[in-house]
Amino acid sequence: MLSIKLKTYFYKKMKKLSVTTENLFNKFLSETTKTKSEKVVVTIAIISFIVHLFLIFLVDFNWINPNDFSGLLKSPMVAIYTPFSFILLYEAYLLVYYLPKSTTKYIGKQYEIITLIIIRRIFKDLYKLEFTSDWFSKKDNILFTLDVLAVLILFYLIYVFYKILEVKQRPKISIEVEKFIELKKIIATILVPLFLLLAIYNFSHWIYENFYSLNQTAVSIKNTNKIFFEEFFTVLILIDVLLLLFSLFHTDKFNQVIRNSGFIISTILIKLSFNIDGVLNTIITVAAVLIGVLILYIHNKYEKLEASMN
């Protein structure tokens, strides 16, 4: 445990800050805001899908001729990519929403996001498929098949993750844990506008590079599937490390420290997957989620063992 004086000083400062952020937290992350946000995102997703289809129609008839280095205007099937992007942004919001409520649900949302990113990639790359008798002779066909298999595996792993979480008994909340939750509320409140600004900057910059810039090299460096989420997971790693350090204020239990450290490793692997293409990208993503599931499973076993020994 850290010194009592340091803990007291920190929580006094945190209390003052929490008072000023409570109203913002209620505005950004309340149940009412979540419900309204869901409706807004669904509406935007539908409109964006129609607009994307319309742009593809204009390109097909040569009424407009923009640069399209990413291939998003190649086929009507690719238009599914756009509404999925807005759904992913809403999932990112839900991740922040669950941050103060449950660490494991917060981690679970990370796994949901990376799975949806792969699904979105599948829709984007549909136009690259070549339907031949020798299916696996084409690289794009192999990557498509691996992505589909990865989604099935990840879907099952996320189910197992939440199943393990479901049977876990909730511990009694101490005063120190309540203070830690207040800290997470403050962090979550700060993350909402930060992620919003990050999303606006990344997407506006990418749109300019992809459709207006003449520099194809810049676009190829910034892969479409990396937009926003590469930086997003970088921030999550920093937040996870920060929370791990602050968690030492109220616990030094070996299994909890290992659990939180394991979740950080899992998030780091997800972040690393954005810098790798092809088969290795899929393998690292699945490995990241598998590590999280195993860490939670062993942690719960450890908790039961400790309970039986006391």
Side-chain angles (χ1 to χ4, degrees), residues 206-218:
W206 175 81
I207 287 172
Y208 169 76
E209 284 186 336
N210 191 70
F211 297 108
Y212 298 102
S213 173
L214 297 177
N215 187 3
Q216 184 174 357
T217 305

Side-chain angles (χ1 to χ4, degrees), residues 52 55 59 63-74 205-220 224:
H52 195 160
L55 289 173
V59 171
W63 290 352
I64 60 173
N65 188 30
N67 297 325
D68 183 21
F69 301 136
S70 66
L72 288 176
L73 300 177
K74 296 287 185 182
H205 186 62
W206 175 81
I207 287 172
Y208 169 76
E209 284 186 336
N210 191 70
F211 297 108
Y212 298 102
S213 173
L214 297 177
N215 187 3
Q216 184 174 357
T217 305
V219 180
S220 62
T224 312

Side-chain angles (χ1 to χ4, degrees), residues 99 102-107 110-111 161 168 180 184 236-268 291-292 294-296 298-300:
L99 173 59
S102 169
T103 299
T104 42
K105 283 187 178 180
Y106 160 74
I107 296 297
Q110 293 185 29
Y111 298 157
F161 186 86
K168 183 179 180 295
F180 184 58
K184 292 200 288 185
L236 291 186
I237 291 169
L238 299 177
I239 295 300
D240 289 346
V241 172
L242 187 65
L243 291 176
L244 172 63
L245 295 174
F246 280 123
S247 69
L248 299 177
F249 277 131
H250 65 83
T251 182
D252 58 357
K253 290 180 65 176
F254 172 74
N255 62 307
Q256 290 191 9
V257 173
I258 292 296
R259 183 199 68 169
N260 294 339
S261 300
F263 287 159
I264 293 173
I265 293 171
S266 178
T267 305
I268 290 173
I291 287 171
L294 292 175
I295 283 287
L296 183 60
I298 297 170
H299 168 266
N300 286 0

Side-chain angles (χ1 to χ4, degrees), residues 166-178:
E166 182 183 43
V167 299
K168 183 179 180 295
Q169 293 183 347
R170 294 182 64 86
K172 293 181 180 179
I173 299 177
S174 64
I175 295 175
E176 289 186 338
V177 172
E178 286 181 353

Side-chain angles (χ1 to χ4, degrees), residues 15-30:
K15 188 174 182 180
K16 291 181 181 179
L17 184 60
S18 65
V19 172
T20 59
T21 57
E22 188 66 30
N23 290 334
L24 287 175
F25 178 82
N26 291 331
K27 288 180 180 179
F28 291 158
L29 295 161
S30 66

Side-chain angles (χ1 to χ4, degrees), residues 115-156:
T115 304
L116 287 172
I117 287 174
I118 294 177
I119 292 175
R120 186 180 66 165
R121 185 169 70 202
I122 290 172
F123 286 130
K124 176 181 174 293
D125 294 340
L126 279 174
Y127 78 95
K128 298 179 181 178
L129 295 180
E130 297 183 34
F131 294 94
T132 62
S133 57
D134 192 3
W135 176 267
F136 293 107
S137 64
K138 304 297 181 181
K139 180 182 176 182
D140 291 327
N141 292 1
I142 294 173
L143 293 177
F144 175 83
T145 305
L146 287 174
D147 280 345
V148 171
L149 290 174
V151 167
L152 292 173
I153 294 170
L154 289 171
F155 192 23
Y156 180 73

